[in-house]
Amino acid sequence: MMLFRGIFLSVAMLFSLSAFAQEQMLFSSELNKTRYQSLVEELRCPKCQNQNLADSGSGIAVDLRELVHQMIDQGKTDQEIVDYMVARYGSFVLYRPQHSTATFLLWYGPFILLGIGLLAFVAVVMASHNRRGRNL
């Protein structure tokens, strides 16, 4: 029982220390803090699948959060920071991929398939209606 209590306390301290460390980032303005939050929520962790930098506890995510903070302090724009991350880690780091010929089907494929499905549905209904009209 004491072993479980010790493990629980150790894990609780670890999580509280990581949360405390993350809150210790100082920003020169409230705008920079807002930009930081927006960027770390928009950028995906290169190591994790479907976790953004804000939610990931991996080592690389911690390093990238610090890098984003430094780049904001250096006066880099949000686009410059995103461009740096894409150049370094590829477009995987973007939760919303950029519009390009490579991502055309990703963005518009569902609408194209929906349109094809609607056309097929209308064709089947029209064909069924025409068959009924001939049988009468």
Side-chain angles (χ1 to χ4, degrees):
M1 186 67 168
M2 291 297 288
L3 177 65
F4 290 122
R5 188 180 301 181
I7 291 173
F8 176 76
L9 288 175
S10 297
V11 170
M13 287 179 63
L14 179 65
F15 282 121
S16 66
L17 285 176
S18 66
F20 179 73
Q22 191 171 352
E23 292 175 10
Q24 289 301 311
M25 288 191 181
L26 300 176
F27 296 92
S28 60
S29 71
E30 194 62 35
L31 174 64
N32 284 351
K33 185 175 182 177
T34 303
R35 287 179 54 212
Y36 170 82
Q37 288 299 326
S38 175
L39 284 167
V40 297
E41 289 173 3
E42 185 63 31
L43 294 170
R44 186 188 321 250
C45 174
K47 182 179 178 182
C48 309
Q49 288 185 325
N50 295 329
Q51 270 192 321
N52 58 24
L53 292 179
D55 295 336
S56 176
S58 72
I60 192 164
V62 172
D63 292 344
L64 290 178
R65 285 193 298 262
E66 180 60 34
L67 180 61
V68 168
H69 180 259
Q70 290 173 1
M71 292 175 87
I72 288 173
D73 278 350
Q74 293 170 0
K76 304 276 185 189
T77 66
D78 291 358
Q79 191 60 48
E80 287 174 327
I81 295 170
V82 168
D83 290 345
Y84 172 83
M85 294 293 184
V86 169
R88 180 106 190 230
Y89 299 102
S91 60
F92 173 78
V93 298
L94 300 176
Y95 262 119
R96 288 183 291 170
Q98 299 166 338
H99 290 272
S100 69
T101 55
T103 61
F104 177 82
L105 284 178
L106 177 67
W107 282 101
Y108 302 108
F111 300 110
I112 293 169
L113 289 175
L114 180 64
I116 291 170
L118 286 173
L119 287 175
F121 176 74
V122 168
V124 167
V125 168
M126 295 286 282
S128 174
H129 182 65
N130 287 340
R131 275 190 234 137
R132 263 193 241 156
R134 285 188 218 150
N135 291 338
L136 293 178

